[in-house]
Amino acid sequence: MQHAVRSLGAIRTGPTPVPRPRTRRVPSLIDADALRVLHRAARALLDDLPGLTDRLVAVLQEQEPAYRAAVAGDPTGTWQEVHRSLRHSVTSLIDPRSARDAARGCSWRIGATRAEQGLPLDALLHAFRLGGSLVWQGLVEETSRTAPEEVRLLVHVASDVWNFVDEHCTLVADAYRQVEWQLSRRRENRARLLAAALLDGTSRIADVPEAARALGLPEHGRYVVVAVAGGHPAGCAAARAAAVPEGTRVHWHTGVEVDYGIVLAADGELPRPQPGPGTLAPGIRIGVGGAVDGLAAVGDARRLADTALSICPGSGGTVWLAEHLPAALVVSSPELGRTLAERVLGPLLRLEPADREVLLDTLTTWLACDGSAQRAGERLYCHRNTVLNRLRRCEQLTGRCLARPSDLVEISLALTAHRLLRA
């Protein structure tokens, strides 16, 4: 196709050809005769519309399994739908201008209604094409019966008939997809609300069966909640895969700051994935809670996952609650934890920052080395006697004896509370 506007260099300097005047197209006599034959046959179909409806319903039952079920479930409603569609279609052949909007509205409503009922779109489009074929067959049969010599004229209107069928198939598909999208969004929103209620612990017992269906999870079973936070959304998506082994049934609920996975734990425990190096992006934190019985208890599982997440260091990593129960006890009651830290470590915490950090680091390292001064010294790059001297000073400041089990438990919990709750 040539461009509508040419560059100046492309303009010819020779004489400009004079355009020929356009002649107005006048409908031919053949077109007029074809329309007359079409209208006469269409009026005959309207007179026998109930019979035409019966034929189409029978064809649908025979050739389209989805409509076979629809007819069995609601024979009257299906017959009336087919009757309305045929009436609008045949009327449009006689008076397209007046009947066009009503016919389009009828097809749109059928597409929307069938989408709500869950009838497959392929079956619906097949039904419309079968209807178009039956109408065309009826036009040919009626003309063959009343004026056989004029059957050939129907060829001139065949494209109009099938264009009408194609137009209404497109309408039906558009209506169907629009309603299907709306229903999908509605289901997604409902599933999100149901999942949020389960995680918050505010779900009603009567809503649990619906939640199970919406989330694709069994109502009864052992569940673990996994909490994922921090980093870019793309990093959280990778963390989801790293936290839950492939093949595990899980429903992910995306929150503002934390994503929660409701995981079906077949044996009551979440299998540990085997992530490769560098799977988790920096700053991604994962908290894995303990198992609970049934979807109705998912709110408790979420609180356990939140507890595990609160223990996770800010730099990132994964915390399994079952492996950090003393720390979980501390963060579950932060006021008591801060009181414990102040009561046990108060004098030590009020030292000069440099002195305080040396003693806290030594005490923490010694505990991590199972009470071995030798190994603690190797980690701290100092002599074991230096470690022992620092520990004796910690005992003097705190008034606790590291050789006494009860005092050692207090000091260990106090250190954990200071580390986790000092913010």
Side-chain angles (χ1 to χ4, degrees):
M1 179 182 295
Q2 294 182 346
H3 295 291
V5 180
R6 297 186 179 184
S7 64
L8 292 176
I11 298 178
R12 294 183 177 181
T13 57
T16 304
V18 179
R20 294 181 181 179
R22 292 183 178 180
T23 57
R24 189 175 181 181
R25 184 179 181 276
V26 179
S28 67
L29 292 177
I30 293 179
D31 290 339
D33 288 340
L35 287 175
R36 174 179 55 78
V37 173
L38 174 66
H39 292 168
R40 184 180 62 203
R43 290 189 186 94
L45 292 185
L46 276 180
D47 292 339
D48 188 31
L49 196 57
L52 187 65
T53 303
D54 290 339
R55 289 171 60 188
L56 182 52
V57 170
V59 171
L60 290 175
Q61 284 182 289
E62 178 184 350
Q63 299 189 22
E64 185 50 64
Y67 263 92
R68 193 178 306 144
V71 172
D74 184 13
T76 302
T78 304
W79 191 93
Q80 290 175 347
E81 175 189 283
V82 172
H83 185 269
R84 281 194 302 272
S85 180
L86 287 174
R87 175 166 53 83
H88 285 294
S89 298
V90 176
T91 303
S92 295
L93 297 178
I94 301 171
D95 189 2
R97 290 187 178 180
S98 300
R100 182 176 184 272
D101 290 342
R104 289 172 62 88
C106 177
S107 295
W108 185 273
R109 285 190 296 273
I110 290 174
T113 301
R114 288 306 187 181
E116 291 176 349
Q117 294 172 350
L119 186 82
L121 178 57
D122 289 346
L124 184 58
L125 294 176
H126 187 205
F128 264 74
R129 294 189 178 99
L130 286 175
S133 297
L134 193 63
V135 168
W136 176 252
Q137 182 182 344
L139 295 172
V140 173
E141 290 176 351
E142 175 62 24
T143 304
S144 299
R145 185 180 64 82
T146 58
E149 71 283 357
E150 294 183 334
V151 170
R152 58 183 176 80
L153 293 174
L154 289 177
V155 174
H156 298 280
V157 294
S159 62
D160 295 332
V161 174
W162 288 107
N163 286 340
F164 176 88
V165 174
D166 288 342
E167 176 191 2
H168 282 258
C169 283
T170 301
L171 270 174
V172 166
D174 288 346
Y176 189 101
R177 293 190 180 100
Q178 180 174 320
V179 171
E180 187 178 44
W181 178 83
Q182 293 171 349
L183 291 174
S184 176
R185 288 295 302 273
R186 201 177 303 162
R187 285 192 296 268
E188 290 174 1
N189 289 336
R190 180 60 178 164
R192 178 173 176 78
L193 290 174
L194 290 169
L198 287 175
L199 290 164
D200 291 342
T202 58
S203 179
R204 301 179 302 174
I205 296 298
D207 291 335
V208 174
E210 181 189 358
R213 291 190 298 271
L215 305 185
L217 297 170
E219 183 178 350
H220 304 288
R222 297 279 285 171
Y223 285 95
V224 172
V225 171
V226 176
V228 178
H232 191 273
C236 288
R240 290 181 177 187
V244 180
E246 186 177 355
T248 305
R249 294 178 66 179
V250 57
H251 174 84
W252 284 101
H253 178 80
T254 303
V256 178
E257 296 180 352
V258 181
D259 294 348
Y260 293 102
I262 304 174
V263 187
L264 179 64
D267 299 326
E269 292 186 4
L270 183 64
R272 289 179 179 269
Q274 301 296 328
T279 299
L280 294 182
I284 294 292
R285 298 179 297 123
I286 300 175
V288 183
V292 297
D293 289 319
L295 275 180
V298 160
D300 295 332
R302 191 269 304 169
R303 284 186 284 274
L304 294 175
D306 282 342
T307 300
L309 190 66
S310 67
I311 300 172
C312 195
S315 58
T318 302
V319 168
W320 295 69
L321 186 66
E323 298 175 355
H324 297 80
L325 292 178
L329 288 173
V330 169
V331 299
S332 295
S333 184
E335 290 302 321
L336 288 177
R338 292 188 180 94
T339 301
L340 176 65
E342 174 59 30
R343 180 179 178 83
V344 176
L345 303 176
L348 191 156
L349 296 176
R350 284 187 283 275
L351 295 174
E352 291 295 324
D355 198 12
R356 177 185 68 219
E357 293 306 318
V358 166
L359 293 181
L360 287 175
D361 193 25
T362 300
L363 193 54
T364 301
T365 304
W366 179 76
L367 288 170
C369 293
D370 299 325
S372 170
Q374 181 67 38
R375 282 190 288 151
E378 292 173 359
R379 287 194 186 184
L380 296 170
Y381 301 102
C382 64
H383 195 273
R384 64 181 299 275
N385 290 340
T386 303
V387 173
L388 293 174
N389 290 334
R390 292 174 183 175
L391 293 177
R392 278 193 291 271
R393 190 177 176 204
C394 288
E395 290 180 320
Q396 293 169 357
L397 288 168
T398 61
R400 266 71 176 175
C401 177
L402 294 176
R404 187 181 298 127
S406 59
D407 287 358
L408 190 61
V409 169
E410 274 194 338
I411 289 177
S412 178
L413 287 176
L415 283 171
T416 300
H418 173 68
R419 175 173 59 85
L420 297 175
L421 303 175
R422 56 182 161 182

